[in-house]
Amino acid sequence: MTTIVVDTQRTPSPHWPVPEERRTVTVLFADIVGSTALVDRLDPEDVRALQRAYFDTVAGVLHRWHGVVEKYVGDAVMALFGARHSDGFDAYRAVRAGLEIQAALDRRPLIGDVALRLRVGVATGEVVVDLGAAVSGGHGVASGAVITTAARLQEYAPPGAVALCAATARATAGLIAQRRLTPVAVAGRVPAVPVWHAVGPLRPDTDRHDGPLIGRRRELATARDQLSRAIREHNPRWVSLVGPPGSGRSRLLHELTHALATVDGVPVRWCVAACPPYPDEVLAPVAQLLRGIAGVRDGDDPAVVRDRLTATLTPLFPPARVTTAVPVLERLLATPDGSPAALAGAAVGRDVLLRLAARQPVIVAVDDLERAAPMVSRFLHTLFTAATIRGLPLAVVTLHQPHWVDTQPGPARRRHRVTVGPLTAVQTGRLLRHLLTRAGQPMTLVDRLLPLVGGRPGHAAAYTGSMVAGADPAALPLPEAVRRTVGAELDRLDGEQRATLMAAGILGVVISGAALDRVLGWAPGRAGPALRGLAAAGLLLPRRAGGYAFASPALRRVAADRLPRALRAVFSRRAAQAPPGPLRRETRPPGNQPAAARVGVVRLDEARSRARRPDAASSTLTAARPTTVRALRASPGGGSAPPREHVRPQTAREPDDRTTRRGQAGQSDLVASSGSTERPPWHKPFALLNSPQHRTSAIRTPGVASVEAEQRTADGRAAGWAA
């Protein structure tokens, strides 16, 4: 029997098996200054026209930056960013939306000579989100203290300003120019709340890559070999450096630019650009390539830009062409949007690169290509095709995440993919020692950080940086930057795969389809396709003995933290109360097995109320008799079943557990528990890596506190589940 937990007021879409999530979102609160006095002196018809113009402008800006309008309160607008899906830049989009709202409305007349002044507050924090209602106009989508914080920041912000909380300021550092204001005294908050004022967007700085390169020798040699062959043979190649955030793709590119400065004594011209998050101007990476070629810096006077462009184009073009090309490139550098003028400038820029490659080898590299607009991808493909036809010593290097798929792959023989995977445990330990030494932190933290980093250099740097910023070394909280990027990985999944990972996050090290079906209340075999899809996406690792493990410790932590307390308690008790026994290798469900035999509906408020009573909650959410369908009333007092529209009747006979066991006889056994001796590499502490016993050492992995509490009180019962 399948049990679905739903809200009393709203039945969720089947797309969201877990209807509510604890999420970190950014809240924007905007309000008009002095609206009462303004309305008192205007005619009602003028008030109506003013409100329409105001709300239409604000809603248009929020929609463009992917914000969800949660409610209108008088003249105030509240919007959420990252309510259902996050890209890791929710705070950045919210601040950009606030700045654009101020630019469009502050001191600008909308009706006649009536001008408005606005205050905008932006705050970031944890809320509980109703996923089914996370659409514009979905009142009551989110609940949490951050909503009040955003409203208070708006009240204390100077007119015409966008005020930021500390979490939003940290999330947008390096992307938004900020000015710290005097802390404000907010009612009910002690001490005073620190406030930042958003000034405007910044061009992201190039990451610093100092210190020794640890690992990546094979990837570096492979990419260098492909690029060298492209230059020597005048046969262009396209090399893709593919890896998740924090894997070290940008560092690998940095090493490539130094390792391949010359080929056979001939200098190589590197043209490098990065795609900023949500650029206003879609051709910004192309403009950055041309700025690098011409030596144009941000803030240069137009006369300086013109002189440097002329000096760059003079050796490449005839004089008449230089005269016409320079103004076109000036417009592109000034406004690299998708207008016809900017596209004409991109065409000239492509010709510049081709003519430059005819004089010396050229390598064009673009980082974070998954953020780019399709125009940038088309620019690179057209450049690559033209260089191939002409037989020029040119190569293209792109860096992107595994989920991004190029829509124009081109000939396979000319393309090479270099996967940037996790570092080994030994390499991760060396990196941690280097980072901790440079940060002045004790080396004793290496063993504790090793199982948390998961082989990602970016995660290692984030943990070290958080401790320098004052994080408690005893608690080792997940850094905010890691939570944002890993949360974005999780949010690229559909609702069923997200539910699978969230439930798997509270299980032991070994994850099996049978255990997940039991915890989620799904029909046997339903979790299997989701697990295989997650393994194909690189989020789970198949184990030789059967089952799966998380590819990243941070992903497990973020997924488990998404569960509301009530559901986490339900899932933990289902896991703890499962009959003990060996966990056999997962098999695909038979083709004639029904996808879902029965569905029972459990109201979410009932689950919350009974979560405090272990016996009642367990019996409530595991009452799945083969011949009956049970549902709970909204009130804890019990009673009759819910209305018929909430219950799907039995459609097929559920296979008997003993029959399933007989059908799986002879398969290898596997015990899935938090004490399993087979663990992913990042669970082995650095101090034990060279010891003879490191292959059999059982190190307890940090898990969800509620699960460990249930296991400690289980009277020695194993934390395994029979398939």
Side-chain angles (χ1 to χ4, degrees):
M1 176 178 177
T2 301
T3 303
I4 302 175
V5 179
V6 302
D7 190 270
T8 308
Q9 304 297 328
R10 185 181 291 108
T11 301
S13 166
H15 185 64
W16 305 106
V18 176
E20 292 185 350
E21 289 184 8
R22 298 177 67 100
R23 301 177 60 88
T24 298
V25 303
T26 300
V27 182
L28 180 147
F29 215 98
D31 198 6
I32 299 175
V33 178
S35 59
T36 302
L38 179 64
V39 169
D40 287 343
R41 67 183 178 86
L42 292 178
D43 183 82
E45 294 184 16
D46 294 333
V47 172
R48 181 75 165 180
L50 181 65
Q51 287 178 332
R52 283 179 175 173
Y54 164 66
F55 287 128
D56 288 347
T57 301
V58 172
V61 172
L62 294 173
H63 177 74
R64 184 161 53 254
W65 289 99
H66 305 285
V68 173
V69 178
E70 207 265 3
K71 67 180 67 172
Y72 295 98
V73 184
D75 297 319
V77 181
M78 188 187 111
L80 305 175
F81 293 80
R84 179 183 285 183
H85 297 285
S86 173
D87 57 2
F89 293 97
D90 306 316
Y92 173 76
R93 289 186 286 111
V95 176
R96 289 298 305 271
L99 291 170
E100 189 171 327
I101 288 171
Q102 290 286 23
L105 295 176
D106 190 63
R107 297 183 185 274
R108 294 179 178 269
L110 291 181
I111 303 297
D113 60 347
V114 178
L116 299 179
R117 299 232 69 191
L118 274 74
R119 294 188 180 98
V120 177
V122 182
T124 301
E126 189 178 38
V127 297
V128 176
V129 177
D130 184 340
L131 297 178
V135 295
S136 290
H139 185 78
V141 170
S143 302
V146 66
I147 296 174
T148 304
T149 301
R152 294 292 177 266
L153 283 174
Q154 174 271 138
E155 292 176 357
Y156 291 97
V162 178
L164 315 178
C165 72
T168 305
R170 289 192 299 268
T172 57
L175 298 174
I176 299 292
Q178 305 166 0
R179 183 172 68 250
R180 186 161 185 173
L181 304 179
T182 304
V184 298
V186 177
R189 302 287 179 88
V190 178
V193 176
V195 181
W196 282 257
H197 177 200
V199 178
L202 291 174
R203 192 180 304 277
D205 295 331
T206 304
D207 294 335
R208 291 183 56 190
H209 299 291
D210 50 358
L213 177 68
I214 297 176
R216 308 301 185 211
R217 300 299 179 184
R218 180 179 301 176
E219 295 90 339
L220 181 62
T222 301
R224 184 173 54 191
D225 177 65
Q226 291 294 325
L227 297 175
S228 299
R229 290 177 59 187
I231 292 171
R232 289 193 183 99
E233 301 171 4
H234 285 223
N235 187 8
R237 279 179 170 78
W238 188 304
V239 177
S240 300
L241 306 181
V242 183
S247 59
R249 297 169 303 172
S250 300
R251 177 59 193 270
L252 186 57
L253 175 62
H254 174 78
E255 294 296 327
L256 271 174
T257 60
H258 289 77
L260 202 63
T262 61
V263 174
D264 298 335
V266 179
V268 176
R269 182 66 178 268
W270 279 87
C271 305
V272 181
C275 300
Y278 289 91
D280 319 351
E281 299 147 332
V282 294
L283 290 174
V286 177
Q288 186 180 356
L289 289 173
L290 295 173
R291 283 193 184 94
I293 293 173
V296 175
R297 295 184 296 270
D298 292 337
D300 283 345
D301 292 333
V304 175
V305 174
R306 186 179 306 110
D307 291 343
R308 291 181 177 175
L309 286 175
T310 302
T312 301
L313 268 60
T314 298
L316 304 176
F317 292 98
R321 183 72 189 281
V322 172
T323 303
T324 58
V326 168
V328 176
L329 291 179
E330 285 183 286
R331 286 195 294 270
L332 172 65
L333 298 187
T335 311
D337 54 13
S339 64
L343 290 174
V348 174
R350 182 167 52 247
D351 200 10
V352 169
L353 288 168
L354 292 171
R355 289 174 179 264
L356 190 62
R359 299 169 62 93
Q360 73 174 114
V362 171
I363 300 178
V364 178
V366 180
D367 199 355
D368 295 316
L369 190 59
E370 73 276 355
R371 302 180 189 171
M375 288 182 182
V376 176
S377 182
R378 286 196 293 270
F379 173 87
L380 294 175
H381 280 282
T382 306
L383 173 68
F384 184 74
T385 302
T388 302
I389 294 173
R390 301 183 189 184
L392 298 176
L394 182 143
V396 175
V397 180
T398 56
L399 291 76
H400 58 83
Q401 297 183 30
H403 73 274
W404 187 81
V405 178
D406 199 338
T407 55
Q408 304 177 34
R413 67 182 182 276
R414 299 183 183 275
R415 300 177 66 89
H416 194 83
R417 180 186 179 103
V418 178
T419 301
V420 186
L423 297 174
T424 65
V426 173
Q427 294 167 346
T428 306
R430 289 174 54 200
L431 176 62
L432 285 171
R433 286 191 297 177
H434 168 73
L435 294 174
L436 290 171
T437 300
R438 190 172 63 179
Q441 299 294 320
M443 290 296 102
T444 54
L445 292 172
V446 172
D447 284 351
R448 299 185 56 203
L449 288 175
L450 189 65
L452 303 178
V453 169
R456 294 194 188 184
H459 291 190
Y463 269 103
T464 306
S466 67
M467 286 184 290
V468 173
D472 183 7
L476 291 178
L478 190 66
E480 293 178 3
V482 175
R483 185 176 294 278
R484 287 194 300 269
T485 57
V486 173
E489 292 183 72
L490 184 61
D491 283 344
R492 281 193 293 269
L493 307 174
D494 60 32
E496 191 150 307
Q497 288 181 324
R498 273 162 66 172
T500 300
L501 282 182
M502 290 161 65
I506 68 170
L507 297 178
V509 175
V510 180
I511 305 164
S512 74
L516 283 173
D517 288 334
R518 185 175 296 108
V519 169
L520 287 165
W522 286 352
R526 180 176 171 184
L531 288 171
R532 291 188 288 272
L534 292 168
L539 300 179
L540 294 179
L541 300 176
R543 303 170 71 256
R544 292 183 179 179
Y548 300 86
F550 275 93
S552 166
L555 179 61
R556 177 185 180 184
R557 192 166 177 179
V558 171
D561 290 346
R562 288 278 186 92
L563 287 173
R565 289 197 308 266
L567 282 181
R568 185 180 302 183
V570 168
F571 290 170
S572 299
R573 290 189 180 97
R574 282 182 178 178
Q577 294 178 2
L583 176 63
R584 283 170 283 278
R585 186 187 301 273
E586 178 192 355
T587 58
R588 293 175 181 265
N592 59 354
Q593 181 171 319
R598 280 164 297 277
V599 175
V601 177
V602 176
R603 298 177 185 267
L604 187 57
D605 53 357
E606 179 71 7
R608 293 193 187 101
S609 64
R610 299 197 178 198
R612 304 182 186 90
R613 296 178 292 165
D615 297 336
S618 174
S619 61
T620 294
L621 289 155
T622 58
R625 298 181 181 177
T627 59
T628 62
V629 178
R630 299 189 58 188
L632 298 178
R633 290 175 55 88
S635 62
S640 60
R644 293 179 59 86
E645 61 268 22
H646 294 290
V647 182
R648 187 167 64 185
Q650 176 174 337
T651 58
R653 180 175 179 82
E654 189 172 5
D656 184 74
D657 186 65
R658 291 170 295 180
T659 304
T660 305
R661 292 169 184 261
R662 287 196 299 269
Q664 295 176 343
Q667 299 182 15
S668 61
D669 292 342
L670 172 68
V671 176
S673 70
S674 59
S676 172
T677 59
E678 183 174 353
R679 298 177 182 275
W682 34 262
H683 281 288
K684 299 174 183 177
F686 183 70
L688 300 179
L689 288 174
N690 296 322
S691 66
Q693 299 84 7
H694 79 273
R695 288 187 177 87
T696 58
S697 299
I699 309 299
R700 175 166 291 278
T701 304
V704 179
S706 61
V707 180
E708 293 183 344
E710 292 283 344
Q711 291 174 348
R712 286 195 295 269
T713 59
D715 274 337
R717 180 170 50 201
W721 299 276

